[in-house]
Amino acid sequence: MAVESSTLVRVEALTKEFYLDGETIRVLKAIDLEVAAGERLAICGESGAGKSTLLQIMGTLDKPTGGRVLHGGQDVFRWSVDRLAAWRNAHIGFVFQFHHLLPEFTALENVMIPAMIQGAGRKSAGERARRILERVGLENRLRHKPGELSGGEQQRVALARALVLNPPLILADEPTGNLDLKNSLEVENLLLEFNREFDLALVIVTHSQRLAQRMDKIIYLEDGSVRKVCPQ
Ligand SMILES: Nc1ncnc2c1ncn2[C@@H]1O[C@H](COP(=O)(O)OP(=O)(O)O)[C@@H](O)[C@H]1O
Ligand SMILES: [Mg+2]
């Protein structure tokens, strides 16, 4: 099947099974979906529906049991582990419900890491990190460690880390699930600003109807299958 040039991610007949105590658990059942460049997609559904598993596989952090995941038309699971890791670092920004920042490092150092993995020197990595931290309103928190930041600030550092290399795709798993309304709105607004300014595609797993409604499209997962897509 031809892949449109604007298609950023294409998931084809994706299945995922886990094997536990001699039992097969079918977590994803033949999922098909597409994300265009700059598109905003929400993935909703009850706990255990398979949302996080789908996001992990779209992000190449876990492998499918069957089917394919194409990024820019490329079957990325065919690549070597090293090539895939380097590509993932540059092309996908991840945001999780809990920030997953390194506790011993400052906000600035945490945000420098993706550039340093790419081989950038400390000076240029530091400049990039500082710029994006200013952009998310944390210019006065550069030297703070995660434990010295509020929950909302920690999540904005995590957002800065996800955005620092200007990836075409952000995958966020309940990014506001641990935040109050004010901080949720700050994180949401930042995600949407970057979406508009940089044609950044967003795939967001969320229980928030408000956040889901701010996306172009909502996919409802139920028991490992797509139950409904809005708008159709
Ligand atoms: N590593 C694993 N081993 C076995 N079962 C798993 C594993 N990861 C997830 N599951 C199961 O897959 C189902 C979907 O999990 P998940 O994708 O985390 O759902 P959601 O994010 O929608 O709450 C759940 O029943 C969960 O127990
Ligand atoms: Mg989940």
Side-chain angles (χ1 to χ4, degrees):
M1 211 181 300
V3 175
E4 277 181 48
S5 60
S6 71
T7 302
L8 190 67
V9 192
R10 184 179 168 93
V11 171
E12 292 179 351
L14 179 70
T15 61
K16 179 67 177 178
E17 295 173 354
F18 290 108
Y19 309 100
L20 211 62
D21 302 329
E23 205 188 324
T24 299
I25 308 169
R26 298 178 65 210
V27 174
L28 298 175
K29 303 165 187 168
I31 305 268
D32 293 295
L33 64 86
E34 266 186 27
V35 184
E39 189 179 18
R40 301 184 302 263
L41 173 70
I43 300 176
C44 297
E46 292 187 357
S47 267
K51 306 180 299 295
S52 294
T53 305
L54 174 59
L55 208 70
Q56 295 272 319
I57 296 174
M58 286 175 75
T60 73
L61 293 172
D62 198 359
K63 283 188 171 175
T65 304
R68 297 199 302 171
V69 177
L70 306 178
H71 283 270
Q74 301 277 324
D75 188 353
V76 290
F77 286 110
R78 290 171 167 266
W79 295 349
S80 70
V81 170
D82 288 349
R83 181 177 177 196
L84 186 57
W87 172 86
R88 187 195 303 118
N89 181 57
H91 285 81
I92 307 181
F94 292 93
V95 185
F96 302 97
Q97 180 173 4
F98 301 100
H99 53 77
H100 292 217
L101 298 169
L102 297 175
E104 295 307 315
F105 291 91
T106 65
L108 188 72
E109 288 164 343
N110 268 282
V111 178
M112 286 166 66
I113 290 170
M116 297 198 62
I117 288 174
Q118 261 193 347
R122 278 195 80 83
K123 189 157 180 287
S124 74
E127 279 163 12
R128 286 191 85 145
R130 184 189 304 270
R131 238 179 288 136
I132 188 81
L133 281 163
E134 284 171 5
R135 184 58 212 276
V136 300
L138 291 175
E139 57 278 6
N140 297 321
R141 297 290 185 273
L142 302 179
R143 308 281 166 211
H144 288 56
K145 292 184 177 168
E148 300 160 349
L149 296 167
S150 73
E153 288 167 345
Q154 289 167 348
Q155 199 59 324
R156 279 186 283 147
V157 176
L159 198 56
R161 181 186 53 186
L163 293 165
V164 68
L165 294 185
N166 230 335
L169 175 65
I170 290 281
L171 299 178
D173 196 347
E174 304 193 35
T176 60
N178 198 34
L179 300 178
D180 61 19
L181 180 61
K182 175 176 171 287
N183 283 295
S184 295
L185 286 172
E186 271 179 19
V187 166
E188 286 178 32
N189 291 340
L190 283 166
L191 282 166
L192 286 156
E193 280 173 30
F194 280 93
N195 161 257
R196 279 191 294 269
E197 272 177 52
F198 301 107
D199 209 29
L200 169 71
L202 303 175
V203 179
I204 303 183
V205 169
T206 184
H207 288 288
S208 161
Q209 272 304 308
R210 186 198 56 250
L211 175 52
Q213 296 296 339
R214 297 180 81 180
M215 303 291 111
D216 300 311
K217 192 156 91 182
I218 308 176
I219 285 184
Y220 291 92
L221 274 193
E222 191 175 281
D223 194 21
S225 299
V226 175
R227 175 169 61 83
K228 192 168 78 170
V229 181
C230 298
Q232 290 191 321

